[in-house]
Structure formats: C-alpha cells, structure tokens
Amino acid sequence: MTVLEELRVWAREGFHITKLTEITGTNRSLYYYHNATDEPIEMVEKRGRPIPGYSKTQSGDIIPDEQIEEFLMEAIEGDGATYGVKNLTKLLEDEHDLQINHKKVARLCKRLGILLPQRLGNPKYPKRLVRNRIITAPNQLWQLDIKYGSIVGSRRFFFVACAIDVFDRSIVGYYRGPRCTAKDITGMLNEAIIRRQLQVIDDSNGHCIVIRTDNGPQFISNLFGEFCEKNNVFHERIPPRSPNYNAYIESFFSILERDLFRRYEFTYFEEAYYEIDEFMAFYNHRRYHGSLGRMSPVKFHEKYKDSGFPEEMALSL
C-alpha cells in the first residue's frame, strides 16, 4: 500500500488530512490531486461550524434566514435598485439592525439567484404594482403574507402563510410548516380557490381573483408566476416598507401574535401546528368582529350569500 493510499484510509477514519500530510511529509496538493483522479471513496464527515440558519439583531433577537431572504428581495425587487453584496450587507445593518457578515449575504444572494451577473434580462413575470380597488363582495381581493414562530429552548422555526379575504375577513387558506416555499404557498392557494369555488375566466381581460403580496422570494418566483397565469389570478405586489397596503393580513397577524404566540410556548412542532389549527378554526367560525357587525367571518360570509349587503358596505383599498 502506497503512502497516498494509507492517507486515504486514515482520512476515511476521520483524521485531519493536514496533520496526516505533515506527519508523512507528503505534499497536501499532491494528495488532493490523486484523490480527485482515483476512484471515489466514502465521504469524510464535513468539519467546521454548521450553518446556523439565522442571524441576530443588535438587541439579540434571532431572525431566520428565510426572513433575511425576504429583506433582500424587498431591497432588490421592491426598490428596483442594483445593489451589490456589500451594499446589501449595509442595508441589512441599517434598515433591520442585523449583525451579519457580507459572506453570508453573498451566500443568501446566490441561493436566491440575485447576484448581479445573474440578474441580466427581463423577468418572466413582470411586477404589477398595487392600485386602489373598490371591494363590494367576497373573493375580489385576497391579501397574502408569511409569519414565523419559534420552538422554545431551541433555534428552530416554523412558518405560517395565510390568505385573508378583505371583504369578509375569512382566512381562506393557510399553511404551516418548518419551511415555506413557493410550492407550499401555491398548494395552499389552489385548495383555497377550489374551496371558494372560483372559476377560471376565459376572457383574456378578466381574472378570477386579485392576490396582493409583498416582495418575498416565494412571491416573485417563476413557480408562483406560473400558478397565477394558469389560474388567471391577478398578482399585485406592494411597494417596500408599506405594510399599510396589506393592512388586513397584517392586522390578522397581530391578532395571531397576541392571542396565540404570546400566550403559548411551543416545545415541539406538532404542538405548534395543533394550536395553529385550533386558532384558525376559532377565528373563522367563532371570533366576533366589530367591523362585521359582531359576526364571525364565516357567519358574515354566509349572510352575504343569502341576502347580500347594500353598497355602503363596499371597501376602498
């Protein structure tokens, strides 16, 4: 057995290759060259600190990478600015009080595909800005957003994506899970469209629903754009740092934070999911709304279907 073969055996046992090459007097680059050209061997366990999946603010609050990615997409797509990695790092420090390294920002940008060399050309699905709408019935405008919670005593997160009908305040669909991708959200929306019995309109100038979101990476993805095109959904996005355009879903998330997340400490994911399911059922079917005449969203929706409401019930959004 040659020295290089012996080094490979010791490497499989977990010994550090730098120390092994120093002891045997072997050139480290020679080892890696032959190791790359020989038959593949079992991968040695990766050393070094694992990627944590979060960053901290100056006050010590933990912000998951998914939320940081949304900050980045808001800066790139919302402002339409051509920012480099160092400018984005500075923006995260100034706007969101994050303690973050430019190398991590580069890694997140690469994962999102927003590094400058990769942003050439026009987007497949152009951005549509919000405009004022008069809402007179259910299923005319849904607002959609994502919120995250944490498991106590750990650094693990779960995500809740919700779509609210701004007319009857119903949560028409929601998703909760350890990650939140465009696939998860489109699946939730597809179920909501079926549940609300919305029809795809054949008229090229019509649409079955307007969905309003922020500039999160899930909402500007090709998958989300394809879903909207297939289902004739008109997707509009709010400007950055303007949550008032999504006031109804933001208001619901404040209720969710106050009445659920602050009242319970979740020790594992299944517990959090169970409590979220219970809260959604309570909110839709039993929680009174002053703006709905002290009715629950479901009761208000059913009353509208039975008798309708006068035009003064219309909302300007």
Side-chain angles (χ1 to χ4, degrees):
M1 182 181 294
T2 66
V3 174
L4 290 174
E5 290 174 340
E6 290 180 354
L7 289 177
R8 297 177 72 190
V9 172
W10 285 109
R12 283 200 298 267
E13 297 296 328
F15 289 92
H16 203 288
I17 194 61
T18 301
K19 295 296 184 182
L20 291 175
T21 53
E22 288 178 358
I23 294 171
T24 59
T26 306
N27 190 306
R28 190 152 53 105
S29 61
L30 184 66
Y31 164 79
Y32 285 118
Y33 171 77
H34 285 280
N35 196 43
T37 55
D38 291 339
E39 289 294 323
I41 62 174
E42 183 181 352
M43 292 295 292
V44 180
E45 183 180 356
K46 186 176 181 181
R47 294 177 177 270
R49 182 173 66 89
I51 298 174
Y54 65 89
S55 291
K56 291 185 178 181
T57 64
Q58 296 294 339
S59 59
D61 295 330
I62 294 177
I63 308 297
D65 285 354
E66 288 81 359
Q67 181 64 60
I68 299 173
E69 289 177 355
E70 185 167 335
F71 293 154
L72 291 170
M73 295 310 305
E74 186 177 82
I76 293 294
E77 295 291 335
D79 292 334
T82 307
Y83 286 131
V85 169
K86 292 186 178 180
N87 284 339
L88 287 171
T89 304
K90 181 62 175 174
L91 181 143
L92 292 174
E93 293 172 351
D94 292 346
E95 299 289 337
H96 305 286
D97 202 32
L98 281 172
Q99 304 179 53
I100 193 165
N101 186 289
H102 71 277
K103 295 180 181 179
K104 177 172 183 176
V105 175
R107 174 170 58 80
L108 294 178
C109 288
K110 183 177 181 180
R111 189 162 74 184
L112 292 170
I114 59 173
L115 290 175
L116 288 178
Q118 300 177 354
R119 296 182 65 243
L120 301 176
N122 296 322
K124 186 176 180 181
Y125 299 98
K127 177 179 181 179
R128 298 187 180 104
L129 291 174
V130 297
R131 58 185 178 88
N132 188 52
R133 299 180 181 278
I134 303 299
I135 306 302
T136 59
N139 302 322
Q140 292 181 354
L141 174 63
W142 293 354
Q143 293 180 359
L144 172 61
D145 204 357
I146 303 170
K147 182 177 178 61
Y148 68 90
S150 60
I151 303 300
V152 67
S154 72
R155 292 168 177 173
R156 295 179 296 168
F157 303 92
F158 60 88
F159 297 86
V160 183
C162 297
I164 189 171
D165 188 312
V166 302
F167 184 80
D168 58 32
R169 311 300 199 277
S170 296
I171 299 300
V172 295
Y174 72 95
Y175 161 84
R176 76 285 189 280
R179 61 188 60 83
C180 190
T181 66
K183 183 178 180 180
D184 299 319
I185 292 176
T186 54
M188 175 267 288
L189 287 176
N190 189 57
E191 292 178 1
I193 288 174
I194 295 173
R195 193 181 302 115
R196 283 276 173 132
Q197 299 179 343
L198 301 183
Q199 299 292 326
V200 176
I201 299 175
D202 294 330
D203 180 7
S204 60
N205 295 321
H207 48 264
C208 70
I209 187 92
V210 176
I211 292 181
R212 183 179 293 180
T213 73
D214 59 18
N215 297 281
Q218 298 90 342
F219 307 129
I220 69 168
S221 65
N222 285 337
L223 180 61
F224 193 85
E226 290 167 1
F227 167 82
C228 292
E229 190 174 74
K230 177 181 178 181
N231 292 277
N232 218 348
V233 170
F234 188 90
H235 176 213
E236 60 183 25
R237 289 160 29 204
I238 65 175
R241 295 178 292 280
S242 56
N244 53 301
Y245 284 105
N246 253 357
Y248 289 89
I249 190 62
E250 295 291 346
S251 176
F252 169 76
F253 278 156
S254 69
I255 295 172
L256 183 67
E257 175 72 26
R258 182 192 66 203
D259 294 350
L260 184 64
F261 287 5
R262 292 182 184 175
R263 293 181 60 189
Y264 295 93
E265 288 188 343
F266 306 117
T267 55
Y268 50 91
F269 287 112
E270 288 74 14
E271 178 187 12
Y273 301 157
Y274 173 80
E275 294 295 344
I276 290 169
D277 292 343
E278 290 291 306
F279 181 83
M280 294 298 181
F282 162 75
Y283 176 86
N284 274 337
H285 293 272
R286 302 191 302 278
R287 187 181 188 278
Y288 295 140
H289 282 255
S291 59
L292 301 181
R294 305 299 172 187
M295 288 182 281
S296 69
V298 168
K299 186 175 181 180
F300 184 85
H301 180 78
E302 291 174 349
K303 186 174 181 179
Y304 175 83
K305 287 197 303 182
D306 292 339
S307 58
F309 292 108
E311 290 186 359
E312 51 264 28
M313 292 293 297
L315 304 172
S316 179
L317 298 167

